[in-house]
Every structure is written in C-alpha cells, then in structure tokens.
Amino acid sequence: MSNEAVIIDVLRTPSGRGKPGGALDGIHPADLLATVLHELVNRNNLDPALIDDVIGGCVSQAGEQGNNVTRTALLSAGFPHTVPGTTIDRQCGSSQQAATFAAQAVMSGNADVVIACGVESMSRVPLGSTAGGQDPFGTLMHERYPDGLVNQGVSAELINQKWNLGRDALDNYAARSHRLAAAAAERGDFGGEIVAVTRPDGSVFSEDETIRPGTSHARLAGLRPAYRTDALAARFPKLGWHVTAGNSSPLTDGASATLIMSAKRAAQLGLNPRARFHSFTVVGSDPMLMLTGVIPATQRILARAGLGIDDIDAYEINEAFASVPLAWLRETGADPDCLNPRGGAIALGHALGSSGTRLLGTLLNHLEMTGGRWGLQAMCEGGGMANATLIERL
C-alpha cells in the first residue's frame, strides 16, 4: 500500500501587479520565493535539514528566474546546502505539477518531506522572455499547424465563440470574481495564507494589490478588446472579440509554497495534517483552443476517484480568462456557487509559476472554514494541457 501524502501548510505572498510600479517589482524573484520558504518552515517549527527535496514551478526561466531559481531561493532562505531543489515548467500549472510530483514522491516511499512551490515576477521577467526573440517552434511544428497557433487571448475568444458565452457573461463573471475576493479580504479570509513581504524601502506589503473592490459590469463594459488585430480579425471573421483586460487575469508578481509529507512523518514530528492528496491527473488538449483541458481533466479525475461533481464541496478552476470557468461550468453542470468562492485569478492575480500552489492554499482554507470535505483544483495551461488535483480535508 502506498504512503499517504498530506498537506501540512500552504503559504503565499500577497499578489502584486506584475508591471513596473507594482508592489513587488523591487524584489528579486529568488528573494520573493525565499521569503515564503523561510516562513513555511518557521511557522511549522520544521528543521529544514529534514526536507528531501524542494520542487518549484516557474514559467519564464530566464534572467533573474534562470539558473534553477528554486535552488537559489532555498539557499537564500537559509536551508542547508544538503537540501536539493529543482525548477519545472508546465506553464500555468507549474507549481500544481510540482505539488503532484512532491506528493507522488511521498506516496511512493521515495521521500518523507517535500516542499512544492512556485514563483513568477512578471514585472522583472516579462512573459515571453524565454524565447529570446526567437521562434520556439521548429519546422515540424509549423508543418503540423501551417496557419500557426495563436496566443492565449485568442484561444479565450475561440472558447467564448464555441460556447456562445457573450460579452455580458464574461464581464459579469469578472465582476463576480472581484466582488467575492474583496468580500473575502474584508472578512480576513486570506490572513492565514498570506506572508507579509518587506520591500526594499522598509515598508510592509500584506494585502493583494490586484483586487479591485469597485469593479462592476458597467465599468468593465467600457473596455476595448485586448487581442483583436486586423490580421487576426481577417483570419477569424466570426469572432466577436469580447476578451478584455478586465475579464482576463492580470499580470502578477507572487510566490507560494506548500509543505507536504507522509502521514507517518507528520505524526513523528507532531504536526497536524490539514488535508490529504487523493487523486491527480494531467491531460493534453487542442492547442488552438488551448485552455479547455480543465474539462476532460475534471471528468477524468472524478472517474478515477469514483466521485461525481456534486460530491465536491468547492472547485478552484483557474480564471486565466473568464471564458475558461464559464465553459467548464457548461460542460460539467457544477454548482456555480461552489466555483472559486473567494474569487479567482481575475481578482487575486495569476503569477504563472506560483498560481498552482496559490489555488491549493485558497481551496484548503475555504474547506476548513466551511467544513467541506472534497476540493477540486484544475488549471488550464499554455500549449493545450491541464492539471487536476483532488484533495480531502482531514
């Protein structure tokens, strides 16, 4: 029988706007992640020498996020040099995949204590930096897709068209995200998961900068389409071009981390597990639509677990764009009230490599506050993929 992989704790920084002038733009991404790692072990009175591995997610692994930023961060956090670390890229699901790999290492008996984490400083290492101005696709890829693939914003437009969602639905959903996140922040719901960050000027940043409490459908309706160009409009003449900056997730800076270990080691250390990992899956999907993998990933993980959608108490489906969770709702028949009940990435930000463990912490805290048992997390990913994770609160 495999070991049980349990979640001891999950922490994150507040979300900063991922552009110059954002609250976290003055902090090196390795230092940002180190802040969370240091607090994670301190809060749980854990000797970091006991950690078997640190697995981190990061999408733009270039410049300040290059050279294995996870290893740099753990050393910056003061961990012994005997603790290894690696950085992975499954696009937006990078830290969710890191948590999967960490849990699987524990379940297989190859590790007892693993930290899964992630970081992205989109203000300091802009999205697309890793390509270095070159074409990442080779000849064979261009032969398979001769008309070329599209960016995620156009994929979100294609999803909007396929499911006939419409601009009003996108804007209403985006307003809902900000409304729920603002209410959760006002109640102090995020207090248990946020690590305050001291900035270079000595000021302390402790609240999400990306939440806009006054967001309304009326304000969002005045925004222009973000991804329409004349060339794309000619290629896709049936698109309505309804995706805007307001119904998309913002560029974001942030870091997050979760402490995972075997139930046996947790008992030995006197730590109380908060949840256990039950099931995982990852799927590929059409790279043109790109962001729809959350649908088959959900269907597969529920079948694997022997559960139905109505058995799940809360779902965190990443809000890269409003059309993604709305299409997911249409296909799964899930209860809308259980979807991203504290708001999602449209309000809380999408620091790419960090978002997976950020969602995990928000989901776990919600289950604990509401008494829910089952939580489902699913993340759409660049290139047409999706991760899904099922946790059970203990």
Side-chain angles (χ1 to χ4, degrees):
M1 179 179 289
S2 65
N3 296 320
E4 188 172 74
V6 297
I7 301 169
I8 301 300
D9 207 357
V10 192
L11 294 175
R12 66 176 178 94
T13 67
S15 295
R17 293 189 181 120
K19 55 187 179 182
L24 296 174
D25 79 334
I27 302 176
H28 192 289
D31 294 338
L32 197 61
L33 180 54
T35 299
V36 181
L37 295 175
H38 183 268
E39 179 61 21
L40 186 67
V41 296
N42 278 4
R43 186 159 104 162
N44 292 282
N45 196 28
L46 178 71
D47 179 357
L50 297 175
I51 299 168
D52 295 304
D53 203 358
V54 180
I55 307 173
C58 183
V59 173
S60 296
Q61 295 184 39
E64 292 182 341
Q65 292 178 166
N67 199 37
N68 192 0
V69 66
T70 306
R71 171 67 172 169
T72 304
L74 72 88
L75 292 174
S76 301
F79 289 13
H81 64 257
T82 52
V83 178
T86 191
T87 308
I88 64 171
D89 173 13
R90 199 187 284 279
Q91 296 291 281
C92 301
S94 295
S95 60
Q96 184 172 354
Q97 183 64 64
T100 298
F101 284 155
Q104 289 171 338
V106 169
M107 293 166 78
S108 67
N110 287 297
D112 291 313
V113 181
V114 185
I115 290 177
C117 58
V119 66
E120 204 79 39
S121 178
M122 300 181 79
S123 64
R124 298 173 69 103
V125 188
L127 183 63
S129 298
T130 51
Q134 299 183 354
D135 182 2
F137 302 121
T139 301
L140 297 177
M141 190 72 162
H142 286 295
E143 288 178 354
R144 180 167 184 175
Y145 301 99
D147 293 329
L149 297 174
V150 295
N151 64 53
Q152 291 192 15
V154 178
S155 293
E157 291 279 8
L158 292 169
I159 293 169
N160 180 63
Q161 178 195 37
K162 180 173 180 178
W163 274 270
N164 193 28
L165 300 170
R167 175 67 182 265
D168 282 348
L170 301 185
D171 288 347
N172 278 327
Y173 184 86
R176 170 193 186 267
S177 185
H178 283 284
R179 183 173 65 254
L180 291 176
E186 181 68 22
R187 293 191 303 267
D189 291 353
F190 301 124
E193 65 194 61
I194 288 181
V195 177
V197 178
T198 301
R199 295 182 286 195
D201 64 2
S203 63
V204 176
F205 176 55
S206 60
E207 296 180 350
D208 294 313
E209 186 183 29
T210 49
I211 301 173
R212 300 192 301 273
T215 300
S216 66
H217 175 274
R219 293 180 64 179
L220 292 171
L223 298 178
R224 296 168 59 89
Y227 297 96
R228 185 196 180 281
T229 66
D230 290 343
L232 286 169
R235 181 178 174 185
F236 302 104
K238 295 183 180 180
L239 287 184
W241 302 105
H242 298 310
V243 177
T244 70
N247 54 46
S248 309
S249 58
L251 301 176
T252 309
D253 295 343
S256 58
T258 180
L259 178 59
I260 299 167
M261 61 181 65
S262 67
K264 180 179 179 181
R265 180 52 60 92
Q268 291 171 344
L269 296 174
L271 294 170
N272 294 320
R274 298 171 61 188
R276 72 180 182 97
F277 289 97
H278 185 278
S279 303
F280 319 91
T281 196
V282 62
V283 303
S285 62
D286 179 357
M288 281 294 290
L289 288 174
M290 196 184 311
L291 311 171
T292 57
V294 291
I295 297 167
T298 296
Q299 294 165 341
R300 180 182 294 183
I301 200 168
L302 290 177
R304 184 171 292 171
L307 296 172
I309 193 68
D310 292 335
D311 294 316
I312 309 304
D313 296 289
Y315 341 104
E316 284 286 334
I317 309 302
N318 193 48
E319 297 173 357
F321 301 89
S323 57
V324 175
L326 287 174
W328 181 89
L329 276 174
R330 288 270 187 94
E331 291 299 312
T332 61
D335 182 351
D337 291 337
C338 296
L339 171 63
N340 300 348
R342 297 184 175 191
I346 290 173
L348 295 172
H350 185 16
L352 309 177
S354 171
S355 287
T357 35
R358 198 279 295 167
L359 263 66
L360 180 63
T362 302
L363 175 61
L364 177 54
N365 282 313
H366 177 76
L367 291 174
E368 288 178 335
M369 291 191 72
T370 59
R373 177 183 179 187
W374 295 105
L376 171 68
Q377 173 188 346
M379 177 81 70
C380 57
E381 297 155 0
M385 298 178 289
N387 277 73
T389 305
L390 185 66
I391 63 169
E392 181 181 14
R393 184 182 66 84
L394 298 174

